Amino acid sequence: MLAYYNGKILLLEKIQISPFDRGLLFGDSIYEVIRCYNGKIFLFDAHLKRLKESLRKTNIPEPDLSNLENVISELLKQNKLINDFAAAYIQITRGNQFPRRHAYDDSITPNIFIYVEAFPPKYDEFTKGIKAGLEEDIRWMRCDIKSTLLLPNVLSQRKAKDEGYSEIIWYRNGIITEGTHTNIFFVKDGVVITPSLNNFILPGITRKQVLNICSDNQIATDERSISINEVYSFDEIFITSTINEITPVVEFDGKLINRGVPGEITGILQKEYQKLYV
Amino acid sequence: MLAYYNGKILLLEKIQISPFDRGLLFGDSIYEVIRCYNGKIFLFDAHLKRLKESLRKTNIPEPDLSNLENVISELLKQNKLINDFAAAYIQITRGNQFPRRHAYDDSITPNIFIYVEAFPPKYDEFTKGIKAGLEEDIRWMRCDIKSTLLLPNVLSQRKAKDEGYSEIIWYRNGIITEGTHTNIFFVKDGVVITPSLNNFILPGITRKQVLNICSDNQIATDERSISINEVYSFDEIFITSTINEITPVVEFDGKLINRGVPGEITGILQKEYQKLYV
């Protein structure tokens, strides 16, 4: 497999990260995951914009990203993934610094790693829906930054797997935030409801697409604070992400949603979303 | 320089980390820093115990650590640091996993990286004291784990540097927690006061030593919740860590403490602490 590191496309095994990479030592790094449908890099501009936002918010100097789309295209070609559903992973760390000190030097340059992999759509989950659990959100208070501080996500995802859930939805101070790697939506009386953007949730790119689709299709939306006390009263629940697209939640915290089948509005949104890339 | 990686002592440049090391991708890793005084590995057992606690709390499988002390000794010898003040850094990540997925496989084995460096004592700070700033604690809620989720520490440390502070002390919901890489102590009417241990602070090894020294020297201590409203009313303030030992804070959030000079009890504790390793 060929991947990209700091200006070069190399065999994955040839890519060597320094033990003094601040991403490794401090979680001093940010990332993006971009969907690639048959060689088409989906919503690239939105991902690039968020990547730059993450760099700005962490004060990591912005490297030259003008060839990023080309690099992903080249990786898809060279890895023979232009006729597949694939995912591109991009990670930018602040760079290498020796010796290890918390405060960063301005002189260091960021490291950029990119790899692509075949990633088939999760049709089974799209059609049948998933089970999701509910847990307290113990992450830091800047979840609007797509940083690699993902240990809480890792621990919750593993717990999800062990308990038969596909996703864990978090709440903080009794208010729903998001999933370990998805945003969450609810439907009530025909209105599509999702937590408002703030420092506790990621401004999801699929989330934004869903709101746009609603707007284009005269479906009312409401971005607001959602209490854990009201989650069982919703007609439909679904989660969104680059990879999970729009996935119905048919069981939430042990309770059936919409009698255990994907909801009608969720289905309409899925169809409209798929039109964007087919 | 020679360092250790997964069973071997190598030239630092020969150590190659995989881009699929989960420490790099997810902050899925823990660490320790141990002080070495003239070849003597200080409080090794306490650090080993905490390292094992961090592994247990993150569910990272405990690798064979029976030769850890020997490895550090060997690194000190081979790097000619047995007559110096040095620091040993130990990081254990959950291991390499391809492709990148949040949930971890049980089949992967942890990666262990160890390096040592000369690290002279900060005599100037011990004697004259430091200035510390005050900021909101935005970290995750398991700061009792010595994980590498250190981006908030990095950002605060950098801000400290820019503003002429040596350390930033954090508070959460109006309650003092700790510094970016230190625990904090206050003195009032001869009583040594420090935040109680909970999930918001690291159980510092130097912190514990200070409490032991107080006990041995009939100095009263009080581990309790400390409000930001009372911090300016204290007679003395000091911070503790493996590297910073006991460092007086003579200016806190722009206000002079003890008229800007290190306090008397702080001085007594420093002398007693130094006796432990001289």
Side-chain angles (χ1 to χ4, degrees):
Chain A
M1 204 188 80
L2 292 155
Y4 171 96
Y5 193 60
N6 290 345
K8 287 181 192 147
I9 290 180
L10 301 162
L11 279 174
L12 186 58
E13 310 83 76
K14 298 277 179 193
I15 295 177
Q16 300 161 0
I17 311 293
S18 163
F20 288 93
D21 187 308
R22 295 182 58 96
L24 183 68
L25 296 175
F26 297 107
D28 196 357
S29 98
I30 58 95
Y31 75 105
E32 281 290 323
V33 177
I34 309 184
R35 203 65 167 114
C36 308
Y37 296 109
N38 301 314
K40 180 180 162 192
I41 303 167
F42 190 55
L43 301 171
F44 176 79
D45 290 347
H47 285 282
L48 179 65
K49 189 178 168 213
R50 189 172 61 185
L51 186 70
K52 289 182 177 182
E53 273 295 286
S54 296
L55 292 170
R56 189 183 61 75
K57 287 172 176 176
T58 52
N59 202 26
I60 295 175
E62 190 183 303
D64 181 7
L65 297 169
S66 59
N67 68 339
L68 185 59
E69 197 170 9
N70 289 338
V71 169
I72 297 169
S73 280
E74 202 51 39
L75 287 176
L76 291 171
K77 270 180 218 154
Q78 296 196 25
N79 288 295
K80 302 193 188 349
L81 290 171
I82 51 168
N83 297 313
D84 287 278
F85 278 31
Y89 176 78
I90 301 138
Q91 182 172 354
I92 303 179
T93 76
R94 196 183 301 275
N96 305 338
Q97 185 179 325
F98 178 86
R100 177 189 177 277
R101 295 291 179 272
H102 285 71
Y104 51 90
D105 289 341
D106 288 324
S107 58
I108 63 172
T109 49
N111 292 321
I112 311 180
F113 170 65
I114 306 171
Y115 93 99
V116 294
E117 59 165 312
F119 210 132
K122 302 180 174 182
Y123 286 130
D124 202 54
E125 294 192 351
F126 296 168
T127 319
K128 294 182 191 160
I130 58 142
K131 296 179 185 184
L134 184 64
E135 268 181 26
E136 193 182 354
D137 193 340
I138 62 163
R139 296 174 301 162
W140 72 324
M141 297 194 198
R142 290 302 305 273
C143 299
D144 57 311
I145 302 173
K146 204 164 171 74
S147 80
T148 57
L149 300 186
L150 295 168
L151 183 52
N153 309 55
V154 162
L155 296 176
S156 281
Q157 254 304 311
R158 173 58 191 240
K159 205 178 158 195
K161 212 175 160 186
D162 289 346
E163 294 180 2
Y165 295 126
S166 298
E167 178 61 306
I168 295 288
I169 303 301
W170 283 316
Y171 60 89
R172 197 188 285 259
N173 299 323
I175 304 298
I176 296 288
T177 56
E178 60 186 347
T180 69
H181 58 309
T182 60
N183 289 115
I184 187 160
F185 284 80
F186 304 90
V187 181
K188 180 71 181 173
D189 300 329
V191 180
V192 171
I193 304 159
T194 194
S196 321
L197 293 183
N198 57 32
N199 56 313
F200 296 122
I201 72 169
L202 186 78
I205 286 166
T206 311
R207 175 188 179 281
K208 182 79 189 305
Q209 290 298 313
V210 167
L211 293 172
N212 290 348
I213 290 169
C214 288
S215 166
D216 292 346
N217 290 275
Q218 288 77 49
I219 297 168
T221 57
D222 192 4
E223 295 176 74
R224 66 168 170 89
S225 174
I226 296 149
S227 156
I228 49 169
N229 299 320
E230 56 177 320
V231 291
Y232 310 113
S233 67
F234 290 117
D235 303 329
E236 305 178 29
I237 303 181
F238 61 90
I239 54 172
T240 64
S241 84
T242 290
I243 299 296
N244 296 279
E245 303 189 5
I246 295 170
T247 299
V249 177
V250 293
E251 190 188 306
F252 187 68
D253 192 30
K255 284 140 197 113
L256 289 185
I257 303 298
N258 195 42
R259 296 175 308 280
V261 295
E264 190 191 340
I265 289 182
T266 306
I268 294 169
L269 296 172
Q270 283 180 311
K271 277 200 199 81
E272 292 300 318
Y273 187 81
Q274 282 163 14
K275 283 185 198 166
L276 299 175
Y277 64 79
V278 170
Chain B
M1 203 189 79
L2 291 156
Y4 172 97
Y5 193 60
N6 290 344
K8 286 180 194 148
I9 290 179
L10 301 161
L11 278 173
L12 186 57
E13 310 83 75
K14 299 276 180 194
I15 295 178
Q16 301 161 359
I17 311 294
S18 162
F20 288 92
D21 186 308
R22 294 182 58 96
L24 183 68
L25 296 175
F26 296 107
D28 196 357
S29 98
I30 57 96
Y31 74 104
E32 281 290 323
V33 177
I34 309 185
R35 204 63 167 116
C36 307
Y37 296 109
N38 300 313
K40 180 180 163 190
I41 303 167
F42 190 56
L43 301 170
F44 176 79
D45 290 347
H47 285 282
L48 179 64
K49 190 179 168 212
R50 189 171 64 185
L51 186 71
K52 290 182 177 181
E53 273 295 285
S54 296
L55 292 169
R56 189 184 61 76
K57 288 173 176 176
T58 52
N59 202 25
I60 296 175
E62 189 183 304
D64 180 7
L65 297 169
S66 59
N67 67 340
L68 186 58
E69 196 170 10
N70 288 337
V71 169
I72 298 169
S73 279
E74 202 51 39
L75 287 176
L76 291 171
K77 270 180 220 154
Q78 296 196 25
N79 287 295
K80 303 192 187 351
L81 291 170
I82 49 166
N83 297 312
D84 287 278
F85 278 32
Y89 175 77
I90 302 140
Q91 181 172 355
I92 303 180
T93 77
R94 196 182 301 275
N96 305 338
Q97 184 178 325
F98 178 86
R100 177 189 176 276
R101 295 290 180 271
H102 284 72
Y104 52 89
D105 290 340
D106 288 324
S107 58
I108 63 173
T109 49
N111 292 322
I112 310 180
F113 169 64
I114 307 170
Y115 92 99
V116 294
E117 59 165 312
F119 209 133
K122 303 180 174 183
Y123 286 131
D124 202 52
E125 294 191 351
F126 296 168
T127 319
K128 293 182 190 160
I130 58 140
K131 296 178 185 185
L134 183 64
E135 269 183 25
E136 193 183 353
D137 192 341
I138 63 164
R139 296 174 302 162
W140 73 324
M141 298 194 198
R142 291 302 305 273
C143 299
D144 56 312
I145 302 174
K146 204 164 171 73
S147 80
T148 57
L149 301 185
L150 295 168
L151 183 53
N153 310 55
V154 162
L155 296 176
S156 282
Q157 253 304 310
R158 174 57 191 242
K159 204 177 159 197
K161 212 174 160 187
D162 289 345
E163 294 179 2
Y165 296 125
S166 299
E167 178 61 304
I168 295 287
I169 303 302
W170 283 318
Y171 60 90
R172 199 188 283 259
N173 299 323
I175 303 299
I176 296 288
T177 56
E178 59 186 350
T180 69
H181 58 309
T182 59
N183 289 115
I184 187 160
F185 284 79
F186 303 91
V187 181
K188 181 71 181 173
D189 300 330
V191 180
V192 170
I193 303 159
T194 194
S196 320
L197 293 183
N198 58 32
N199 56 313
F200 296 122
I201 72 169
L202 186 78
I205 287 167
T206 311
R207 174 189 181 280
K208 182 81 187 308
Q209 289 298 314
V210 168
L211 292 173
N212 289 347
I213 289 169
C214 288
S215 166
D216 292 347
N217 290 274
Q218 287 78 50
I219 297 169
T221 59
D222 192 4
E223 295 177 72
R224 64 168 171 91
S225 174
I226 295 149
S227 156
I228 49 168
N229 299 320
E230 57 176 320
V231 289
Y232 310 113
S233 67
F234 290 116
D235 303 328
E236 304 178 27
I237 302 181
F238 61 91
I239 55 172
T240 63
S241 85
T242 290
I243 299 297
N244 296 278
E245 303 188 6
I246 295 170
T247 298
V249 176
V250 294
E251 191 188 306
F252 187 68
D253 191 29
K255 285 141 197 114
L256 289 185
I257 302 299
N258 194 42
R259 294 175 309 280
V261 294
E264 189 191 338
I265 289 181
T266 305
I268 293 168
L269 296 172
Q270 283 181 309
K271 276 200 199 84
E272 291 300 317
Y273 187 80
Q274 282 164 13
K275 282 185 198 166
L276 298 174
Y277 64 79
V278 170

